[in-house]
Each structure stands twice: as C-alpha cells, then as structure tokens.
Amino acid sequence: MLPRLLPVLLLALAALLAPATAVAEPAAGPVAGAVVGAGSPWVSPLGDPPAVTRPFEPPPTPYGPGHRGADLGGVPGDVVRAAGDGVVVFAGMVAGRPVVSVDHAGGLRTTYEPVAASVAAGQGVARGDPLGTLAPGHAGCPAAACLHWGLRRGEVYLDPLALLRPPRVRLLPLRP
C-alpha cells in the first residue's frame, strides 16, 4: 500500500512547496487594461489627490438610479485637465451644462462637467493637458464647485477613480 501511496504524497508535497503564482487584479474590474501606478498614463483632472465629494455609485440596472461618475471638489476657475491621452470628441452644452468628452485607447471615454472648454472636438490632448476651467453650478455640491468626472467603455459606466488606483496583487495557489 505504501509503495502506491508514495508517488501521490510526493506530488502533493511538490505542489505545496512550489512557488505561488502572482496575478494583478484590476482595481475596478471593467477597467482592465488601464495601466495605473508609477508612470501611469492617468492623472486626476482636479489635483492629486482628488477631493472626492461623491463617489461612483453604479446603477443596479442599465437605466436605474445611480451616480455614473465621481464628483471632485474644487473652486470655480480651477483648471480641469485631461485624465489621459486622447482625442476630444465633444466640447459644448448638454442640457444647459458645459461638457467635455475625451476618447482614449481601449474604448474608454472620460467626461468632465461643468467645464468651460478651452478645447474643441477633434483636438488631440495628452495626459494633464488643460481642457478648460471648472464652472460653478453643480447641484448638491458641498464645495465651492464640483467636477463630475465620468468614465465609460461603450455604454457601460465605470468608476473613474479606478484609473488612479494601482492594481491589487494577490497570490494564487499553483494549479495542476
């Protein structure tokens, strides 16, 4: 019996002593592929660290209630910067509010409002480039002014703050 059990025990011991595999998980699942951390192509549009006055609250259903972005506190006239390299796809009014939208690699789109734009649609921007200035008038803002910063991939809203957080690394067991 022992001669037949010995190979199984040796295999089990080898599996226990083998190095574990390390993997990086994205900070917010669906933003996978966005590089963050040191040398990251992403920056906060309103200072670092951003003063978050209201976090992202995803809706339970595509058309349900929720907060489809993060509100960042500031002062009217603060410079609002592009979170990453991209192309301005919209700079104008939406429902009476000034909005700027930028398309980025990987199908990501960031939106910024209310922003008095200093850029135009079709213009390329680099991370940190000015998009305009923060305008007053964001309802429910506890600061002098708030920037609503949004992030989407296609029609799916994501947490824009996830672009600023490094990925979480954890060890996984070795699997045969």
Side-chain angles (χ1 to χ4, degrees):
M1 177 84 166
L2 187 58
R4 280 194 262 164
L5 193 54
L6 189 57
V8 173
L9 289 174
L10 289 174
L11 186 60
L13 184 60
L16 286 173
L17 296 177
T21 305
V23 297
E25 292 182 340
V31 188
V35 180
V36 295
S40 170
W42 303 103
V43 296
S44 168
L46 261 189
D48 188 29
V52 180
T53 62
R54 185 172 175 198
F56 175 71
E57 297 167 14
T61 62
Y63 302 104
H67 189 239
R68 293 166 172 85
D71 291 348
L72 310 179
V75 176
D78 279 351
V79 174
V80 176
R81 301 186 179 280
D85 297 349
V87 176
V88 176
V89 291
F90 182 83
M93 301 297 280
V94 175
R97 301 177 60 85
V99 176
V100 175
S101 296
V102 177
D103 276 357
H104 308 276
L108 296 175
R109 175 177 287 183
T110 53
T111 57
Y112 312 80
E113 66 101 353
V115 175
S118 61
V119 293
Q123 182 177 338
V125 292
R127 171 189 69 178
D129 281 355
L131 298 175
T133 56
L134 183 60
H138 190 300
C141 175
C146 284
L147 172 72
H148 179 82
W149 181 30
L151 174 66
R152 287 186 357 206
R153 176 174 282 130
E155 297 301 313
V156 178
Y157 288 90
L158 307 169
D159 183 1
L161 296 171
L163 295 174
L164 306 177
R165 291 190 290 259
R168 201 175 87 214
V169 176
R170 67 184 180 104
L171 296 178
L172 295 176
L174 184 64
R175 296 193 180 127

